[in-house]
Amino acid sequence: MIAERMRTKRFGRAVSYFHRIDSTNTFALKVAGERDALHGRLIVAGGQSGGRGRHGRRWWNEPEKDILCSLILCPPEPRAMWHLLTLSCGASICEALRDSYGLPAGMRWPNDVLIDGRKLCGVLTESGEDRLVIGFGVNCNGDPEKLPEDARAATSLRAELGRSVQRWSLLSRILECFERRYALFCTHDTEGLRKQHLSLLGTLGRRVRVWTSGKHPIEGMAIDLEESGRLVVLCDHGPQVSLSSGEVTELKLEEKTKS
Ligand code: BTN
């Protein structure tokens, strides 16, 4: 039923649907390890009992309300560029939300989709031996108030639009947008991708606090995105740095560094 809606060439043409599963990413990683794992195969769930977010966090959902899925890809080398696909997936979700509902969706580097500062969607990219699994969750028809406390600052499409949405039409649109960006990725057109990512990256021009692996966060102004997908931050108390990963919080312009 979901596969029939797809207007893509490969993405989501083969779909495995689970009414309930622990995590679509965990399942997709298992499948991706099999020799004949299909490029473009999509794992979709109505509900997850152990949905995973970044940094070991949980991803909550109300059953049958959201988009919860993981896409298996076999991207070309170099592997070091694969993380660009996380940004591309986020940008595709933003584009689909803007086109379908006129919502001002933007990306918070590197993997969130926000609407007016509230999180609507998260992307979790994980790699196997020669496959990549890109999982994303989009809060569609649920009520953020019913989520556990740590997720209540989130939003849903229903909360934004005041009505329910057709999840699988949106999913189909997201995958169409993503397949187009993936084609650019395969031709190594990283400048083309950068331009597209830049136009949807809400983090740019904002004061940010970024937790990387160090003990103290970096604080400063997010000023650029490199072709490699690294975020360039002009630090308040030091030089300019370019970050390959991290957890970003947007600060108010006047917010002072905490020591
Ligand atoms: C994040 O914001 O930290 C990323 C959240 C990713 C959640 C999705 S839901 C579908 C897929 N399966 C999972 O277990 N996680 C991802």
Side-chain angles (χ1 to χ4, degrees), residues 24 33 44 46 54 90 99 107 109 147 155-156 163 165 169 184 186 188 197:
T24 56
V44 185
R54 287 171 84 218
D99 289 356
M107 283 193 283
W109 185 88
L147 294 175
T155 190
S156 69
R163 65 176 169 89
V165 298
S169 307
L184 276 186
C186 289
H188 305 285
H197 295 157

Side-chain angles (χ1 to χ4, degrees), residues 59-61 65-68 119-122 137-142 144 147 151 154-158 165 170:
W59 182 259
W60 303 104
N61 74 282
K65 301 274 189 194
D66 299 327
I67 295 176
L68 305 163
K119 182 159 168 172
L120 181 83
C121 164
V138 185
N139 300 334
C140 291
N141 297 322
L147 294 175
T155 190
S156 69
L157 288 174
R158 185 154 180 237
V165 298
L170 174 61

